[in-house]
Amino acid sequence: MLNFVTTVGVILQHIAVNLALQYDDLWQGSGAADESNVLMQVMAGSNLIFVVLAVSLVIWFVFIFYLIRVERKLAQLEKKHSE
Amino acid sequence: MPRLPLWKYAVLLWMTVVLVAAFLIRVPDIPILHETSRNLFFHVPMWFTMTVVFGAGLVYSIRYLATGNSTMDRRAEAVTYVGILFGICGLLTGALWARFTWGTWWTFAEPKMNLSAMAMMIYVAYFILRSAFDDPHKRAKLAAVYNVFAATTVPFLLYVIPRQLPSLHPGADGNPAFSDLTAPELRLVFYPAVIGFIALAFWLADLKYRMQTLQDRVDDDSVGA
C-alpha cells in the first residue's frame, strides 16, 4: 500500500515538475515555440490563424454534440408519445 | 449516437470542411478589409439562408391555406423561427464587421442595414400575431395570410430597394455584390458555405417542428383529460 502511494506521489511530482518546466519555457517569451513539437509550431505560425480555426472548431463540435443530444431526446419523446 | 437521416451526417461533415476551408483559404489582402474578407463565408450566407427559409415558410403558408392541414402551419412556424435566428446572426455579424471596416456599429445612412432590420421586425410581428390567438385554427389561418405578406416584402427590402440607393454595402447602387470582389476563388468557399448553412437551417427547423408537434400533442391530451 505504502509502495503504491509512493509510486503515485512520484508520478504526480513528475507531472508537476514537467508542467512547471513547460511553463518555464513559455514565461521566457518568444522562442518557446521552437522547442515544442511540430503541431505547436504550426499552430504558432501563419499569423495565428490556426488558433482561430481551432477555437471555431471547438465551438462547432460542441454545437454538434448538443444538436445530437437534442435529436436523441426528441426521438425518445416521439417514441413515447406515439405509443 | 441516435440514428439520424444520412443528410444530417452529410451536413456535419460538409460544414466542418467549409469551416476549415474558410480559415485556411488564401484571401487577397484588400485595404480596409484585410482578413475580414473571410466574413464573406459567414455573414453573407446568414442572409441567403434567411431568405431561403422564409421562402420555404411562404410555401408552407400557402399550402396551409390551400389544405387547412395543421402540419403545414407548424412547418411554416418552424422555418420562420429559424429564419429570424439567422437574420439576427446576420444583423449582429454585419454590425461587428461594419465597426471595423466602416468605423461604426450602425448607421442610419446605410439602407441595407436599416431595411434588413425592418424585415426582421416584420417577421417578429408574425410571432406576436400568433401569440394573440388561442384558437389554433384562427391562429394558423391569420398567421398564414400574414406570412404571405411578410415574405413578399423580403425581396424588396433586401434586394430591390438597396440596389437603387447609394451605399457602402456591396450589392448596392446597381452593382451585384461580387463585382467589386477581386478574388473569384472566394466563391469556392462561399457557395459551399451557403449550401451548408441552408441545410443546417432546415435541420434546426426540423427540430423546432418536431418539438412543436409534441407540444401540441401534449396540450391536446391535457385538454382532453
Side-chain angles (χ1 to χ4, degrees), chain A residues 49-50 52-53 56-57 60-61 64 67-68 71-72 74-75 77-78 81, chain B residues 1-2 4 8 12 15-16 19-20 23-24 203-204 207 210 214 217-218:
Chain A
I49 189 73
F50 291 105
V52 191
L53 173 62
S56 308
L57 284 178
W60 169 237
F61 288 139
I64 291 177
L67 207 57
I68 288 174
E71 282 276 0
R72 185 165 53 204
L74 262 178
L77 278 173
E78 279 166 340
H81 276 270
Chain B
M1 282 282 273
L4 300 180
K8 288 184 174 173
L12 294 181
M15 279 308 292
T16 306
L19 206 56
V20 172
F23 280 98
L24 298 190
W203 184 343
L204 294 177
L207 291 178
R210 283 158 61 196
L214 278 168
R217 204 172 290 164
V218 169

PDB file of all heavy atoms in Angstrom, chain A residues 49-50 52-53 56-57 60-61 64 67-68 71-72 74-75 77-78 81, chain B residues 1-2 4 8 12 15-16 19-20 23-24 203-204 207 210 214 217-218:
ATOM      1  N   ILE A  49      -3.566  32.122 -37.425  1.00  0.00           N
ATOM      2  CA  ILE A  49      -4.896  31.832 -37.975  1.00  0.00           C
ATOM      3  C   ILE A  49      -5.383  30.467 -37.524  1.00  0.00           C
ATOM      4  O   ILE A  49      -6.576  30.244 -37.336  1.00  0.00           O
ATOM      5  CB  ILE A  49      -4.886  31.929 -39.530  1.00  0.00           C
ATOM      6  CG1 ILE A  49      -6.301  31.846 -40.106  1.00  0.00           C
ATOM      7  CG2 ILE A  49      -4.044  30.839 -40.164  1.00  0.00           C
ATOM      8  CD1 ILE A  49      -7.127  33.072 -39.887  1.00  0.00           C
ATOM      9  N   PHE A  50      -4.458  29.520 -37.292  1.00  0.00           N
ATOM     10  CA  PHE A  50      -4.870  28.180 -36.864  1.00  0.00           C
ATOM     11  C   PHE A  50      -5.503  28.195 -35.485  1.00  0.00           C
ATOM     12  O   PHE A  50      -6.324  27.348 -35.159  1.00  0.00           O
ATOM     13  CB  PHE A  50      -3.672  27.233 -36.874  1.00  0.00           C
ATOM     14  CG  PHE A  50      -3.185  26.929 -38.247  1.00  0.00           C
ATOM     15  CD1 PHE A  50      -2.011  27.498 -38.737  1.00  0.00           C
ATOM     16  CD2 PHE A  50      -3.904  26.089 -39.089  1.00  0.00           C
ATOM     17  CE1 PHE A  50      -1.566  27.229 -40.010  1.00  0.00           C
ATOM     18  CE2 PHE A  50      -3.462  25.820 -40.369  1.00  0.00           C
ATOM     19  CZ  PHE A  50      -2.294  26.387 -40.846  1.00  0.00           C
ATOM     20  N   VAL A  52      -7.452  30.586 -34.391  1.00  0.00           N
ATOM     21  CA  VAL A  52      -8.849  30.997 -34.616  1.00  0.00           C
ATOM     22  C   VAL A  52      -9.644  29.826 -35.167  1.00  0.00           C
ATOM     23  O   VAL A  52     -10.786  29.577 -34.774  1.00  0.00           O
ATOM     24  CB  VAL A  52      -8.918  32.193 -35.591  1.00  0.00           C
ATOM     25  CG1 VAL A  52     -10.328  32.770 -35.595  1.00  0.00           C
ATOM     26  CG2 VAL A  52      -7.919  33.254 -35.212  1.00  0.00           C
ATOM     27  N   LEU A  53      -9.020  29.096 -36.101  1.00  0.00           N
ATOM     28  CA  LEU A  53      -9.692  27.920 -36.656  1.00  0.00           C
ATOM     29  C   LEU A  53     -10.004  26.916 -35.554  1.00  0.00           C
ATOM     30  O   LEU A  53     -11.114  26.388 -35.484  1.00  0.00           O
ATOM     31  CB  LEU A  53      -8.801  27.276 -37.735  1.00  0.00           C
ATOM     32  CG  LEU A  53      -9.303  25.939 -38.283  1.00  0.00           C
ATOM     33  CD1 LEU A  53     -10.648  26.113 -38.961  1.00  0.00           C
ATOM     34  CD2 LEU A  53      -8.293  25.354 -39.264  1.00  0.00           C
ATOM     35  N   SER A  56     -12.879  28.072 -33.423  1.00  0.00           N
ATOM     36  CA  SER A  56     -14.146  27.917 -34.142  1.00  0.00           C
ATOM     37  C   SER A  56     -14.570  26.455 -34.193  1.00  0.00           C
ATOM     38  O   SER A  56     -15.746  26.139 -34.036  1.00  0.00           O
ATOM     39  CB  SER A  56     -14.022  28.458 -35.558  1.00  0.00           C
ATOM     40  OG  SER A  56     -13.516  29.763 -35.521  1.00  0.00           O
ATOM     41  N   LEU A  57     -13.609  25.581 -34.405  1.00  0.00           N
ATOM     42  CA  LEU A  57     -13.941  24.155 -34.467  1.00  0.00           C
ATOM     43  C   LEU A  57     -14.417  23.634 -33.116  1.00  0.00           C
ATOM     44  O   LEU A  57     -15.335  22.822 -33.059  1.00  0.00           O
ATOM     45  CB  LEU A  57     -12.727  23.349 -34.955  1.00  0.00           C
ATOM     46  CG  LEU A  57     -12.444  23.437 -36.453  1.00  0.00           C
ATOM     47  CD1 LEU A  57     -11.191  22.649 -36.811  1.00  0.00           C
ATOM     48  CD2 LEU A  57     -13.608  22.936 -37.287  1.00  0.00           C
ATOM     49  N   TRP A  60     -17.933  24.687 -32.873  1.00  0.00           N
ATOM     50  CA  TRP A  60     -18.733  23.906 -33.823  1.00  0.00           C
ATOM     51  C   TRP A  60     -18.962  22.489 -33.299  1.00  0.00           C
ATOM     52  O   TRP A  60     -20.068  21.959 -33.360  1.00  0.00           O
ATOM     53  CB  TRP A  60     -18.027  23.922 -35.186  1.00  0.00           C
ATOM     54  CG  TRP A  60     -18.551  22.974 -36.210  1.00  0.00           C
ATOM     55  CD1 TRP A  60     -17.845  22.008 -36.864  1.00  0.00           C
ATOM     56  CD2 TRP A  60     -19.882  22.902 -36.755  1.00  0.00           C
ATOM     57  NE1 TRP A  60     -18.640  21.352 -37.752  1.00  0.00           N
ATOM     58  CE2 TRP A  60     -19.889  21.869 -37.703  1.00  0.00           C
ATOM     59  CE3 TRP A  60     -21.059  23.612 -36.499  1.00  0.00           C
ATOM     60  CZ2 TRP A  60     -21.040  21.525 -38.423  1.00  0.00           C
ATOM     61  CZ3 TRP A  60     -22.203  23.260 -37.209  1.00  0.00           C
ATOM     62  CH2 TRP A  60     -22.181  22.236 -38.158  1.00  0.00           C
ATOM     63  N   PHE A  61     -17.927  21.863 -32.738  1.00  0.00           N
ATOM     64  CA  PHE A  61     -18.076  20.488 -32.265  1.00  0.00           C
ATOM     65  C   PHE A  61     -18.967  20.426 -31.025  1.00  0.00           C
ATOM     66  O   PHE A  61     -19.738  19.480 -30.858  1.00  0.00           O
ATOM     67  CB  PHE A  61     -16.709  19.855 -32.004  1.00  0.00           C
ATOM     68  CG  PHE A  61     -15.957  19.541 -33.263  1.00  0.00           C
ATOM     69  CD1 PHE A  61     -14.594  19.766 -33.380  1.00  0.00           C
ATOM     70  CD2 PHE A  61     -16.622  19.022 -34.376  1.00  0.00           C
ATOM     71  CE1 PHE A  61     -13.905  19.485 -34.556  1.00  0.00           C
ATOM     72  CE2 PHE A  61     -15.942  18.737 -35.554  1.00  0.00           C
ATOM     73  CZ  PHE A  61     -14.583  18.968 -35.650  1.00  0.00           C
ATOM     74  N   ILE A  64     -22.383  20.597 -32.389  1.00  0.00           N
ATOM     75  CA  ILE A  64     -22.786  19.297 -32.941  1.00  0.00           C
ATOM     76  C   ILE A  64     -23.203  18.354 -31.816  1.00  0.00           C
ATOM     77  O   ILE A  64     -24.230  17.676 -31.893  1.00  0.00           O
ATOM     78  CB  ILE A  64     -21.630  18.661 -33.749  1.00  0.00           C
ATOM     79  CG1 ILE A  64     -21.370  19.441 -35.029  1.00  0.00           C
ATOM     80  CG2 ILE A  64     -21.930  17.204 -34.075  1.00  0.00           C
ATOM     81  CD1 ILE A  64     -20.192  18.911 -35.823  1.00  0.00           C
ATOM     82  N   LEU A  67     -26.545  19.322 -30.628  1.00  0.00           N
ATOM     83  CA  LEU A  67     -27.546  19.026 -31.661  1.00  0.00           C
ATOM     84  C   LEU A  67     -27.928  17.553 -31.615  1.00  0.00           C
ATOM     85  O   LEU A  67     -29.107  17.191 -31.657  1.00  0.00           O
ATOM     86  CB  LEU A  67     -26.942  19.377 -33.029  1.00  0.00           C
ATOM     87  CG  LEU A  67     -27.871  19.762 -34.160  1.00  0.00           C
ATOM     88  CD1 LEU A  67     -28.724  20.932 -33.778  1.00  0.00           C
ATOM     89  CD2 LEU A  67     -27.052  20.100 -35.398  1.00  0.00           C
ATOM     90  N   ILE A  68     -26.932  16.691 -31.500  1.00  0.00           N
ATOM     91  CA  ILE A  68     -27.196  15.254 -31.493  1.00  0.00           C
ATOM     92  C   ILE A  68     -27.906  14.832 -30.213  1.00  0.00           C
ATOM     93  O   ILE A  68     -28.794  13.983 -30.222  1.00  0.00           O
ATOM     94  CB  ILE A  68     -25.872  14.482 -31.712  1.00  0.00           C
ATOM     95  CG1 ILE A  68     -25.448  14.665 -33.171  1.00  0.00           C
ATOM     96  CG2 ILE A  68     -26.033  13.012 -31.392  1.00  0.00           C
ATOM     97  CD1 ILE A  68     -24.104  14.099 -33.508  1.00  0.00           C
ATOM     98  N   GLU A  71     -31.479  15.736 -30.697  1.00  0.00           N
ATOM     99  CA  GLU A  71     -32.061  14.742 -31.607  1.00  0.00           C
ATOM    100  C   GLU A  71     -32.464  13.480 -30.845  1.00  0.00           C
ATOM    101  O   GLU A  71     -33.554  12.944 -31.040  1.00  0.00           O
ATOM    102  CB  GLU A  71     -31.052  14.372 -32.701  1.00  0.00           C
ATOM    103  CG  GLU A  71     -30.927  15.386 -33.821  1.00  0.00           C
ATOM    104  CD  GLU A  71     -31.994  15.202 -34.898  1.00  0.00           C
ATOM    105  OE1 GLU A  71     -32.817  14.278 -34.761  1.00  0.00           O
ATOM    106  OE2 GLU A  71     -31.995  15.971 -35.860  1.00  0.00           O
ATOM    107  N   ARG A  72     -31.575  13.022 -29.974  1.00  0.00           N
ATOM    108  CA  ARG A  72     -31.844  11.782 -29.254  1.00  0.00           C
ATOM    109  C   ARG A  72     -33.030  11.950 -28.317  1.00  0.00           C
ATOM    110  O   ARG A  72     -33.921  11.110 -28.257  1.00  0.00           O
ATOM    111  CB  ARG A  72     -30.598  11.366 -28.475  1.00  0.00           C
ATOM    112  CG  ARG A  72     -30.764  10.011 -27.799  1.00  0.00           C
ATOM    113  CD  ARG A  72     -29.445   9.452 -27.343  1.00  0.00           C
ATOM    114  NE  ARG A  72     -28.720  10.406 -26.525  1.00  0.00           N
ATOM    115  CZ  ARG A  72     -27.399  10.389 -26.377  1.00  0.00           C
ATOM    116  NH1 ARG A  72     -26.681   9.504 -27.005  1.00  0.00           N
ATOM    117  NH2 ARG A  72     -26.808  11.273 -25.601  1.00  0.00           N
ATOM    118  N   LEU A  74     -35.459  14.118 -28.513  1.00  0.00           N
ATOM    119  CA  LEU A  74     -36.690  14.251 -29.295  1.00  0.00           C
ATOM    120  C   LEU A  74     -37.168  12.895 -29.767  1.00  0.00           C
ATOM    121  O   LEU A  74     -38.356  12.578 -29.692  1.00  0.00           O
ATOM    122  CB  LEU A  74     -36.429  15.154 -30.507  1.00  0.00           C
ATOM    123  CG  LEU A  74     -36.845  16.611 -30.382  1.00  0.00           C
ATOM    124  CD1 LEU A  74     -36.478  17.367 -31.628  1.00  0.00           C
ATOM    125  CD2 LEU A  74     -38.338  16.738 -30.118  1.00  0.00           C
ATOM    126  N   ALA A  75     -36.223  12.065 -30.238  1.00  0.00           N
ATOM    127  CA  ALA A  75     -36.585  10.734 -30.732  1.00  0.00           C
ATOM    128  C   ALA A  75     -37.228   9.915 -29.616  1.00  0.00           C
ATOM    129  O   ALA A  75     -38.223   9.219 -29.835  1.00  0.00           O
ATOM    130  CB  ALA A  75     -35.353  10.034 -31.281  1.00  0.00           C
ATOM    131  N   LEU A  77     -38.843  11.108 -26.947  1.00  0.00           N
ATOM    132  CA  LEU A  77     -40.180  11.653 -26.668  1.00  0.00           C
ATOM    133  C   LEU A  77     -41.181  11.244 -27.738  1.00  0.00           C
ATOM    134  O   LEU A  77     -42.323  10.897 -27.440  1.00  0.00           O
ATOM    135  CB  LEU A  77     -40.102  13.185 -26.595  1.00  0.00           C
ATOM    136  CG  LEU A  77     -39.643  13.769 -25.262  1.00  0.00           C
ATOM    137  CD1 LEU A  77     -39.448  15.264 -25.378  1.00  0.00           C
ATOM    138  CD2 LEU A  77     -40.670  13.473 -24.184  1.00  0.00           C
ATOM    139  N   GLU A  78     -40.725  11.292 -29.008  1.00  0.00           N
ATOM    140  CA  GLU A  78     -41.625  10.932 -30.099  1.00  0.00           C
ATOM    141  C   GLU A  78     -42.058   9.468 -29.965  1.00  0.00           C
ATOM    142  O   GLU A  78     -43.214   9.122 -30.207  1.00  0.00           O
ATOM    143  CB  GLU A  78     -40.938  11.165 -31.445  1.00  0.00           C
ATOM    144  CG  GLU A  78     -40.981  12.616 -31.867  1.00  0.00           C
ATOM    145  CD  GLU A  78     -40.028  12.939 -33.004  1.00  0.00           C
ATOM    146  OE1 GLU A  78     -39.069  12.165 -33.219  1.00  0.00           O
ATOM    147  OE2 GLU A  78     -40.233  13.969 -33.665  1.00  0.00           O
ATOM    148  N   HIS A  81     -44.602   9.173 -27.143  1.00  0.00           N
ATOM    149  CA  HIS A  81     -45.924   9.748 -27.410  1.00  0.00           C
ATOM    150  C   HIS A  81     -46.669   9.079 -28.545  1.00  0.00           C
ATOM    151  O   HIS A  81     -47.845   9.314 -28.737  1.00  0.00           O
ATOM    152  CB  HIS A  81     -45.801  11.249 -27.674  1.00  0.00           C
ATOM    153  CG  HIS A  81     -45.776  12.045 -26.417  1.00  0.00           C
ATOM    154  ND1 HIS A  81     -46.900  12.541 -25.817  1.00  0.00           N
ATOM    155  CD2 HIS A  81     -44.743  12.381 -25.610  1.00  0.00           C
ATOM    156  CE1 HIS A  81     -46.571  13.160 -24.700  1.00  0.00           C
ATOM    157  NE2 HIS A  81     -45.254  13.079 -24.557  1.00  0.00           N
TER     158      HIS A  81
ATOM    159  N   MET B   1     -25.031   7.264 -30.054  1.00  0.00           N
ATOM    160  CA  MET B   1     -25.439   8.093 -31.209  1.00  0.00           C
ATOM    161  C   MET B   1     -26.827   7.674 -31.688  1.00  0.00           C
ATOM    162  O   MET B   1     -27.041   6.498 -31.966  1.00  0.00           O
ATOM    163  CB  MET B   1     -24.446   7.902 -32.369  1.00  0.00           C
ATOM    164  CG  MET B   1     -23.144   8.658 -32.200  1.00  0.00           C
ATOM    165  SD  MET B   1     -23.243  10.411 -32.571  1.00  0.00           S
ATOM    166  CE  MET B   1     -22.943  10.434 -34.331  1.00  0.00           C
ATOM    167  N   PRO B   2     -27.756   8.624 -31.766  1.00  0.00           N
ATOM    168  CA  PRO B   2     -29.063   8.282 -32.337  1.00  0.00           C
ATOM    169  C   PRO B   2     -28.912   8.077 -33.836  1.00  0.00           C
ATOM    170  O   PRO B   2     -27.960   8.557 -34.442  1.00  0.00           O
ATOM    171  CB  PRO B   2     -29.905   9.534 -32.046  1.00  0.00           C
ATOM    172  CG  PRO B   2     -28.915  10.626 -31.926  1.00  0.00           C
ATOM    173  CD  PRO B   2     -27.629  10.033 -31.437  1.00  0.00           C
ATOM    174  N   LEU B   4     -29.556   9.066 -37.235  1.00  0.00           N
ATOM    175  CA  LEU B   4     -30.029  10.262 -37.934  1.00  0.00           C
ATOM    176  C   LEU B   4     -30.135   9.962 -39.418  1.00  0.00           C
ATOM    177  O   LEU B   4     -29.440   9.086 -39.925  1.00  0.00           O
ATOM    178  CB  LEU B   4     -29.047  11.425 -37.734  1.00  0.00           C
ATOM    179  CG  LEU B   4     -28.788  11.900 -36.312  1.00  0.00           C
ATOM    180  CD1 LEU B   4     -27.796  13.045 -36.319  1.00  0.00           C
ATOM    181  CD2 LEU B   4     -30.069  12.350 -35.648  1.00  0.00           C
ATOM    182  N   LYS B   8     -28.185  14.516 -42.550  1.00  0.00           N
ATOM    183  CA  LYS B   8     -27.720  15.274 -41.386  1.00  0.00           C
ATOM    184  C   LYS B   8     -26.243  15.014 -41.119  1.00  0.00           C
ATOM    185  O   LYS B   8     -25.497  15.935 -40.772  1.00  0.00           O
ATOM    186  CB  LYS B   8     -28.577  14.935 -40.175  1.00  0.00           C
ATOM    187  CG  LYS B   8     -29.973  15.531 -40.292  1.00  0.00           C
ATOM    188  CD  LYS B   8     -30.829  15.293 -39.079  1.00  0.00           C
ATOM    189  CE  LYS B   8     -32.145  16.041 -39.228  1.00  0.00           C
ATOM    190  NZ  LYS B   8     -33.089  15.728 -38.154  1.00  0.00           N
ATOM    191  N   LEU B  12     -23.038  17.764 -41.224  1.00  0.00           N
ATOM    192  CA  LEU B  12     -21.973  17.922 -40.231  1.00  0.00           C
ATOM    193  C   LEU B  12     -20.604  17.892 -40.896  1.00  0.00           C
ATOM    194  O   LEU B  12     -19.751  18.748 -40.640  1.00  0.00           O
ATOM    195  CB  LEU B  12     -22.054  16.806 -39.185  1.00  0.00           C
ATOM    196  CG  LEU B  12     -23.285  16.818 -38.280  1.00  0.00           C
ATOM    197  CD1 LEU B  12     -23.221  15.681 -37.275  1.00  0.00           C
ATOM    198  CD2 LEU B  12     -23.398  18.146 -37.554  1.00  0.00           C
ATOM    199  N   MET B  15     -20.117  21.026 -43.308  1.00  0.00           N
ATOM    200  CA  MET B  15     -19.863  22.291 -42.615  1.00  0.00           C
ATOM    201  C   MET B  15     -18.482  22.302 -41.961  1.00  0.00           C
ATOM    202  O   MET B  15     -17.843  23.347 -41.875  1.00  0.00           O
ATOM    203  CB  MET B  15     -20.943  22.544 -41.562  1.00  0.00           C
ATOM    204  CG  MET B  15     -22.227  23.125 -42.107  1.00  0.00           C
ATOM    205  SD  MET B  15     -21.986  24.594 -43.123  1.00  0.00           S
ATOM    206  CE  MET B  15     -21.442  25.766 -41.899  1.00  0.00           C
ATOM    207  N   THR B  16     -18.035  21.143 -41.496  1.00  0.00           N
ATOM    208  CA  THR B  16     -16.697  21.086 -40.908  1.00  0.00           C
ATOM    209  C   THR B  16     -15.646  21.407 -41.966  1.00  0.00           C
ATOM    210  O   THR B  16     -14.720  22.193 -41.724  1.00  0.00           O
ATOM    211  CB  THR B  16     -16.442  19.687 -40.299  1.00  0.00           C
ATOM    212  OG1 THR B  16     -17.502  19.386 -39.399  1.00  0.00           O
ATOM    213  CG2 THR B  16     -15.125  19.647 -39.552  1.00  0.00           C
ATOM    214  N   LEU B  19     -15.790  25.090 -42.790  1.00  0.00           N
ATOM    215  CA  LEU B  19     -15.190  25.889 -41.719  1.00  0.00           C
ATOM    216  C   LEU B  19     -13.668  25.907 -41.847  1.00  0.00           C
ATOM    217  O   LEU B  19     -13.030  26.966 -41.775  1.00  0.00           O
ATOM    218  CB  LEU B  19     -15.604  25.292 -40.373  1.00  0.00           C
ATOM    219  CG  LEU B  19     -15.649  26.219 -39.171  1.00  0.00           C
ATOM    220  CD1 LEU B  19     -16.556  27.388 -39.442  1.00  0.00           C
ATOM    221  CD2 LEU B  19     -16.125  25.452 -37.948  1.00  0.00           C
ATOM    222  N   VAL B  20     -13.095  24.715 -42.053  1.00  0.00           N
ATOM    223  CA  VAL B  20     -11.638  24.620 -42.190  1.00  0.00           C
ATOM    224  C   VAL B  20     -11.189  25.416 -43.420  1.00  0.00           C
ATOM    225  O   VAL B  20     -10.253  26.222 -43.352  1.00  0.00           O
ATOM    226  CB  VAL B  20     -11.203  23.144 -42.290  1.00  0.00           C
ATOM    227  CG1 VAL B  20      -9.722  23.055 -42.627  1.00  0.00           C
ATOM    228  CG2 VAL B  20     -11.494  22.415 -40.986  1.00  0.00           C
ATOM    229  N   PHE B  23     -11.080  29.231 -43.131  1.00  0.00           N
ATOM    230  CA  PHE B  23      -9.957  29.833 -42.421  1.00  0.00           C
ATOM    231  C   PHE B  23      -8.638  29.646 -43.148  1.00  0.00           C
ATOM    232  O   PHE B  23      -7.718  30.425 -42.977  1.00  0.00           O
ATOM    233  CB  PHE B  23      -9.850  29.248 -41.007  1.00  0.00           C
ATOM    234  CG  PHE B  23     -10.822  29.870 -40.055  1.00  0.00           C
ATOM    235  CD1 PHE B  23     -12.020  29.250 -39.765  1.00  0.00           C
ATOM    236  CD2 PHE B  23     -10.545  31.090 -39.477  1.00  0.00           C
ATOM    237  CE1 PHE B  23     -12.929  29.840 -38.905  1.00  0.00           C
ATOM    238  CE2 PHE B  23     -11.452  31.681 -38.611  1.00  0.00           C
ATOM    239  CZ  PHE B  23     -12.642  31.054 -38.329  1.00  0.00           C
ATOM    240  N   LEU B  24      -8.555  28.576 -43.928  1.00  0.00           N
ATOM    241  CA  LEU B  24      -7.256  28.252 -44.497  1.00  0.00           C
ATOM    242  C   LEU B  24      -7.062  28.748 -45.923  1.00  0.00           C
ATOM    243  O   LEU B  24      -5.936  28.848 -46.393  1.00  0.00           O
ATOM    244  CB  LEU B  24      -7.022  26.738 -44.440  1.00  0.00           C
ATOM    245  CG  LEU B  24      -7.001  26.178 -43.016  1.00  0.00           C
ATOM    246  CD1 LEU B  24      -6.523  24.746 -43.022  1.00  0.00           C
ATOM    247  CD2 LEU B  24      -6.136  27.016 -42.093  1.00  0.00           C
ATOM    248  N   TRP B 203     -32.267  21.712 -40.810  1.00  0.00           N
ATOM    249  CA  TRP B 203     -32.124  20.771 -39.683  1.00  0.00           C
ATOM    250  C   TRP B 203     -32.729  21.384 -38.423  1.00  0.00           C
ATOM    251  O   TRP B 203     -33.534  20.769 -37.727  1.00  0.00           O
ATOM    252  CB  TRP B 203     -30.648  20.452 -39.497  1.00  0.00           C
ATOM    253  CG  TRP B 203     -30.342  19.432 -38.443  1.00  0.00           C
ATOM    254  CD1 TRP B 203     -31.156  18.997 -37.432  1.00  0.00           C
ATOM    255  CD2 TRP B 203     -29.118  18.699 -38.320  1.00  0.00           C
ATOM    256  NE1 TRP B 203     -30.514  18.065 -36.683  1.00  0.00           N
ATOM    257  CE2 TRP B 203     -29.266  17.854 -37.193  1.00  0.00           C
ATOM    258  CE3 TRP B 203     -27.914  18.682 -39.021  1.00  0.00           C
ATOM    259  CZ2 TRP B 203     -28.241  16.998 -36.785  1.00  0.00           C
ATOM    260  CZ3 TRP B 203     -26.906  17.833 -38.599  1.00  0.00           C
ATOM    261  CH2 TRP B 203     -27.081  17.007 -37.498  1.00  0.00           C
ATOM    262  N   LEU B 204     -32.347  22.621 -38.125  1.00  0.00           N
ATOM    263  CA  LEU B 204     -32.864  23.285 -36.929  1.00  0.00           C
ATOM    264  C   LEU B 204     -34.383  23.434 -37.007  1.00  0.00           C
ATOM    265  O   LEU B 204     -35.093  23.235 -36.019  1.00  0.00           O
ATOM    266  CB  LEU B 204     -32.206  24.658 -36.758  1.00  0.00           C
ATOM    267  CG  LEU B 204     -30.707  24.645 -36.459  1.00  0.00           C
ATOM    268  CD1 LEU B 204     -30.165  26.071 -36.389  1.00  0.00           C
ATOM    269  CD2 LEU B 204     -30.411  23.923 -35.155  1.00  0.00           C
ATOM    270  N   LEU B 207     -36.038  20.237 -36.075  1.00  0.00           N
ATOM    271  CA  LEU B 207     -36.106  20.040 -34.626  1.00  0.00           C
ATOM    272  C   LEU B 207     -37.246  20.858 -34.027  1.00  0.00           C
ATOM    273  O   LEU B 207     -38.018  20.375 -33.202  1.00  0.00           O
ATOM    274  CB  LEU B 207     -34.783  20.453 -33.971  1.00  0.00           C
ATOM    275  CG  LEU B 207     -33.572  19.563 -34.249  1.00  0.00           C
ATOM    276  CD1 LEU B 207     -32.344  20.142 -33.569  1.00  0.00           C
ATOM    277  CD2 LEU B 207     -33.823  18.149 -33.759  1.00  0.00           C
ATOM    278  N   ARG B 210     -40.603  19.303 -34.893  1.00  0.00           N
ATOM    279  CA  ARG B 210     -40.908  18.088 -34.126  1.00  0.00           C
ATOM    280  C   ARG B 210     -41.227  18.426 -32.671  1.00  0.00           C
ATOM    281  O   ARG B 210     -42.112  17.813 -32.058  1.00  0.00           O
ATOM    282  CB  ARG B 210     -39.738  17.119 -34.221  1.00  0.00           C
ATOM    283  CG  ARG B 210     -39.728  16.403 -35.565  1.00  0.00           C
ATOM    284  CD  ARG B 210     -38.358  15.872 -35.920  1.00  0.00           C
ATOM    285  NE  ARG B 210     -37.887  14.897 -34.946  1.00  0.00           N
ATOM    286  CZ  ARG B 210     -36.615  14.516 -34.843  1.00  0.00           C
ATOM    287  NH1 ARG B 210     -35.710  15.032 -35.644  1.00  0.00           N
ATOM    288  NH2 ARG B 210     -36.262  13.627 -33.939  1.00  0.00           N
ATOM    289  N   LEU B 214     -44.866  17.701 -30.784  1.00  0.00           N
ATOM    290  CA  LEU B 214     -45.001  17.039 -29.490  1.00  0.00           C
ATOM    291  C   LEU B 214     -45.752  17.920 -28.505  1.00  0.00           C
ATOM    292  O   LEU B 214     -46.639  17.460 -27.790  1.00  0.00           O
ATOM    293  CB  LEU B 214     -43.617  16.725 -28.927  1.00  0.00           C
ATOM    294  CG  LEU B 214     -42.943  15.464 -29.456  1.00  0.00           C
ATOM    295  CD1 LEU B 214     -41.490  15.449 -29.034  1.00  0.00           C
ATOM    296  CD2 LEU B 214     -43.653  14.231 -28.937  1.00  0.00           C
ATOM    297  N   ARG B 217     -49.345  17.913 -29.149  1.00  0.00           N
ATOM    298  CA  ARG B 217     -49.940  16.641 -28.742  1.00  0.00           C
ATOM    299  C   ARG B 217     -50.148  16.601 -27.230  1.00  0.00           C
ATOM    300  O   ARG B 217     -51.183  16.167 -26.737  1.00  0.00           O
ATOM    301  CB  ARG B 217     -49.033  15.491 -29.192  1.00  0.00           C
ATOM    302  CG  ARG B 217     -49.786  14.183 -29.351  1.00  0.00           C
ATOM    303  CD  ARG B 217     -48.900  13.128 -29.983  1.00  0.00           C
ATOM    304  NE  ARG B 217     -48.627  13.399 -31.376  1.00  0.00           N
ATOM    305  CZ  ARG B 217     -47.644  12.808 -32.061  1.00  0.00           C
ATOM    306  NH1 ARG B 217     -46.837  11.958 -31.461  1.00  0.00           N
ATOM    307  NH2 ARG B 217     -47.471  13.083 -33.328  1.00  0.00           N
ATOM    308  N   VAL B 218     -49.144  17.090 -26.486  1.00  0.00           N
ATOM    309  CA  VAL B 218     -49.258  17.133 -25.030  1.00  0.00           C
ATOM    310  C   VAL B 218     -50.411  18.049 -24.617  1.00  0.00           C
ATOM    311  O   VAL B 218     -51.208  17.716 -23.751  1.00  0.00           O
ATOM    312  CB  VAL B 218     -47.925  17.619 -24.402  1.00  0.00           C
ATOM    313  CG1 VAL B 218     -48.093  17.922 -22.931  1.00  0.00           C
ATOM    314  CG2 VAL B 218     -46.846  16.572 -24.608  1.00  0.00           C
TER     315      VAL B 218
END
